[in-house]
């Protein structure tokens, strides 16, 4: 996977892929993206630390259909500040893919061994997993995202609709 750290200053060399390329998707990933088995996907892994934390709090695995992202490279992602914070502006500016809506499924899980090491917690350790599929207006699936968050460091807030404070008054 392409590893992007959010608030993580260093990477271990064995984890950072130098020459990312599209790879055959695992069956579950292909199915969730609506792709035939063996289709090529890009895998981006983002690791989140929050505020003054010294350990990883959220593991964000993003899978992109390779056919929608020709020529995608790690360098493109690293050079685009949008991609570090939010991938959606990157999708739109580089590939013309505007995310119109998302579908989230959440469930309780246990961290795997590697996640527990990065989070500096013992195994088994509870976490919340949110699987998101993001769609274009015409219904194409742009990404599959699986975010796993350590439960004692995170909370989930969902907001639906438009916050009235976000509306701007127009003058006639």
């Amino acid at each position: 996977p392409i590893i992007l750290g959010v608030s993580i200053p260093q990477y271990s060399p064995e984890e950072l892929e130098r020459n990312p390329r599209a790879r055959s998707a695992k069956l579950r990933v292909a199915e969730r993206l609506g792709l035939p088995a063996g289709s090529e996907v890009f895998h981006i892994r983002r690791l989140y630390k929050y505020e003054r934390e010294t350990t990883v709090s959220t593991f964000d695995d993003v899978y992109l259909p390779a056919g929608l992202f020709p020529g995608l490279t790690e360098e493109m992602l690293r050079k685009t500040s949008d991609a570090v914070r939010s991938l959606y502006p990157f999708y739109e500016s580089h590939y013309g893919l505007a995310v119109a809506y998302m579908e989230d499924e959440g469930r309780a899980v246990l961290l795997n061994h590697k996640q527990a090491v990065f989070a500096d917690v013992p195994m088994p350790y509870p976490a919340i997993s949110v699987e998101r599929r993001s769609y274009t207006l015409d219904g194409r699936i742009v990404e599959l995202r699986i975010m796993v968050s350590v439960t004692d460091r995170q909370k989930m807030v969902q907001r639906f609709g438009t916050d009235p404070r976000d509306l701007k008054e127009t003058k006639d």
Side-chain angles (χ1 to χ4, degrees):
I2 301 168
I3 310 288
L4 293 179
V6 178
S7 300
I8 298 180
Q10 297 188 7
Y11 306 91
S12 58
E14 67 275 8
E15 298 246 27
L16 183 60
E17 184 168 323
R18 300 293 177 196
N19 297 304
R21 65 185 193 285
R23 299 221 164 101
S24 291
K26 292 181 181 178
L27 182 59
R28 177 167 162 51
V29 169
E31 287 174 350
R32 298 300 287 159
L33 284 168
L35 299 172
S39 293
E40 292 194 328
V41 297
F42 287 104
H43 178 194
I44 301 167
R45 175 169 293 149
R46 301 190 312 169
L47 308 173
Y48 291 85
K49 289 183 181 182
Y50 294 99
E51 298 179 21
R52 296 187 178 120
E53 291 182 12
T54 58
T55 57
V56 175
S57 294
T58 299
F59 305 87
D60 184 13
D61 287 290
V62 180
Y63 300 91
L64 307 173
L68 294 179
F69 297 90
L72 177 66
T73 65
E74 178 183 342
E75 183 178 352
M76 289 169 63
L77 290 166
R78 290 195 184 278
K79 284 186 173 180
T80 306
S81 61
D82 289 343
V84 174
R85 297 182 58 167
S86 172
L87 291 169
Y88 300 148
F90 175 81
Y91 300 162
E92 190 165 7
S93 65
H94 285 74
Y95 293 97
L97 297 167
V99 172
Y101 61 99
M102 296 150 296
E103 179 179 274
D104 289 354
E105 295 178 22
R107 64 188 178 101
V109 297
L110 296 174
L111 294 179
N112 65 34
H113 175 72
K114 195 172 196 175
Q115 291 168 333
V117 168
F118 274 99
D120 194 26
V121 296
M123 285 186 61
Y125 206 83
I128 297 172
S129 176
V130 176
E131 182 178 292
R132 169 178 286 172
R133 287 190 289 177
S134 301
Y135 297 83
T136 59
L137 196 54
D138 64 0
R140 289 182 292 167
I141 301 173
V142 173
E143 72 169 13
L144 169 66
R145 170 172 289 179
I146 302 169
M147 291 182 66
V148 177
S149 297
V150 178
T151 54
D152 59 345
R153 300 180 195 157
Q154 299 295 310
K155 65 179 178 179
M156 178 184 255
V157 177
Q158 292 184 321
R159 185 168 93 178
F160 300 95
T162 303
D163 185 328
R165 295 172 292 186
D166 292 339
L167 297 175
K168 296 183 179 179
E169 290 184 34
T170 56
K171 295 183 180 183
D172 292 296

